[in-house]
Amino acid sequence: MRGKFVTFEGCEGSGKSTQIKLLGQYLKQQDIDFVVTREPGGSRIAEEIRSIILDGRNGEMCAECEALLYAAARIQHLNEVVAPALESGKLVLCDRYVDSSLAYQGYARGLGMKFIEDINYAALYKYQPDLTIFLDIPPRLAFERKHGADKNDRMESEGIAFHERVYQGYKTLLRKYPRITEIYCCGTKFETSDIIIRVLKEKGIIRG
Ligand SMILES: Nc1ncnc2c1ncn2[C@@H]1O[C@H](COP(=O)(O)OP(=O)(O)OP(=O)(O)O)[C@@H](O)[C@H]1O
Ligand SMILES: [Mg+2]
């Protein structure tokens, strides 16, 4: 049987990596076979594309180029890492997926959802996530959690107005796609983790 595909979304510092790690610990205790991966990256070629996108020297990169690079990394990662794991019945936890492109490039950078959906056609129609966890925390709060971040990272140096737009983008997606579940995560990381585990059980992703 095909494994379940769960993606984690949210603004920078919302706690995606923290929550995936905590969920991984729980799944290990429960003897549930899973794979953790991330976007953009997770495979050699996709990681190389990621380093071009995030390189602080590439400030002149236009929005369309950025979006196409994300789409290229995504389909490579999907074919090389996600698809084989799903086909072998594993639960796949992916740190960011197509909703990041829709929120960041489609909405916040103004390229439009249609353009992003078109260039991500292969990924979107091949493997839809069974569940997307949106970690909902206002960007300013999330940002404060992340001080000391890499100053050469282009995305992190965008400023708060951009991240507010990303947040609004996610809220728009939430209304459009029923597969996205919003989880308020202003409490401790353990409180948020408990909620995520409960949701995974309720949605039939893991046995409860
Ligand atoms: N519930 C929480 N309360 C307080 N701090 C938290 C909480 N969850 C995570 N943090 C801290 O906030 C910071 C950002 O968390 P994390 O790196 O998991 O976010 P992220 O969503 O993965 O960010 P990015 O998109 O940049 O990868 C970390 O220092 C983490 O320890
Ligand atoms: Mg992270």
Side-chain angles (χ1 to χ4, degrees), residues 15-18 95 146:
K16 299 177 295 298
S17 306
T18 304
D95 193 334
K146 273 207 73 166

Side-chain angles (χ1 to χ4, degrees), residues 1 4 131 198-208:
M1 198 177 70
K4 300 283 189 191
L131 173 68
R198 201 185 69 218
V199 168
L200 258 61
K201 286 178 181 170
E202 281 169 8
K203 304 271 180 193
I205 303 291
I206 55 175
R207 56 184 178 265

